[in-house]
Amino acid sequence: MAPTKKSTGKKVAPAPYPIKGKQAPKVSANPLIEKSPKNFGIGQDVQPKRDVSRFVKWPKYVRLQRQKKIIYQRLKVPPAINQFTHVLDKNTATQLFKLMHKYRPESKAEKRDRLRAVAAAKAEKKEVPKTDKPVVIKYGINHITALVEAKKAQLVVIADDVDPIELVLWLPALCRKMGVPYCIVKGKARLGALVHKKTATALALTEVSEADKAELATLVSAVNTNFTEKWDDVRRHWGGGIMGPKSNAKMAKRAALAAKEIAARQ
């Protein structure tokens, strides 16, 4: 049995009084609103929304179009295809579309109403007034080809995102040969909207009214400066060959190693 300790009769000093600090004023909580903290543990509250697009298995068509875009950056692209990456600048394109909007062909509904009005006039034995042939935009790749070959087109507008690109690959060369001004613009859907279609590969202006001839001449001058006159420069430039960050890092490391070896030999 352990020996008991003898008391010495000394008293232990009392603990010092705690220093009262500045107490924060109590904010009175609204008794009508109860706190309900969420528990995001397993099997508890619904998890908050997070950006999980990195982990999504995207549909095959999405993956294909993304892979296609990347491979077009990686592979070397010949000048004939690479020219479709050089499009008309935004300001000139806006002026061009404003002009072309004036010469949109009639829609199916407008044509139906016109024919019904003519038929109703004939039924009532009224004289149908003769109208001039409307001045409209021409579309359809075969139609435009015929107009360019006949030198009737005053300006040809080609979309940059036609798929397959072979549909319009030869058209710039044909326009240059026949001396017809041409330009490449962004968006086949934008061209299609002008002619009441989903998409259009190319459009052509054959004639405009007297009031718009000066504007067309200005546009043709700008287009020739950007495309026809720059062809000798464009046909020498290949596209693509843009590698990813991993490949660039590997090549930089290889180049640094080669430079180190050359420095060691000297």
Side-chain angles (χ1 to χ4, degrees), residues 40 46-52:
F40 294 121
V46 177
Q47 294 288 327
K49 285 188 178 178
R50 297 185 181 91
D51 181 16
V52 291

Side-chain angles (χ1 to χ4, degrees), residues 66-212:
R66 289 178 180 178
Q67 288 165 357
K68 182 180 174 184
K69 186 179 179 181
I70 294 297
I71 205 167
Y72 276 176
Q73 290 176 350
R74 302 285 182 267
L75 297 175
K76 280 199 169 184
V77 181
I81 298 174
N82 190 50
Q83 68 177 326
F84 287 90
T85 59
H86 305 293
V87 294
L88 198 62
D89 63 276
K90 190 177 179 182
N91 293 334
T92 314
T94 306
Q95 291 174 4
L96 174 64
F97 278 99
K98 274 184 184 176
L99 176 65
M100 296 183 86
H101 195 271
K102 297 177 185 177
Y103 299 98
R104 294 180 76 189
E106 62 182 0
S107 64
K108 285 184 178 179
E110 289 167 349
K111 185 179 181 181
R112 184 179 64 239
D113 294 341
R114 178 173 58 82
L115 293 176
R116 278 180 180 171
V118 170
K122 282 184 178 178
E124 293 171 6
K125 295 183 179 178
K126 290 181 181 177
E127 189 178 347
V128 179
K130 288 187 178 179
T131 55
D132 295 329
K133 186 181 178 183
V135 179
V136 293
I137 305 165
K138 308 297 181 185
Y139 62 98
I141 196 71
N142 290 334
H143 189 190
I144 287 171
T145 306
L147 291 171
V148 172
E149 287 175 342
K151 296 187 179 180
K152 288 182 180 177
Q154 292 187 17
L155 178 63
V156 176
V157 183
I158 309 166
D160 72 326
D161 56 347
V162 178
D163 189 27
I165 195 67
E166 287 82 6
L167 288 172
V168 290
L169 193 60
W170 45 271
L171 191 53
L174 179 66
C175 289
R176 282 193 302 275
K177 186 179 180 183
M178 303 310 291
V180 175
Y182 74 94
C183 64
I184 298 165
V185 296
K186 278 189 177 181
K188 57 186 177 182
R190 202 175 173 194
L191 294 185
L194 286 170
V195 291
H196 311 292
K197 302 284 181 188
K198 283 184 181 176
T199 56
T201 53
L203 302 177
L205 276 169
T206 51
E207 55 182 317
V208 292
S209 62
E210 286 292 330
D212 294 324

Side-chain angles (χ1 to χ4, degrees), residues 252-266:
K253 193 175 179 182
R254 198 177 291 173
L257 194 65
K260 193 176 179 182
E261 286 177 2
I262 290 166
R265 286 175 197 164
Q266 289 175 352

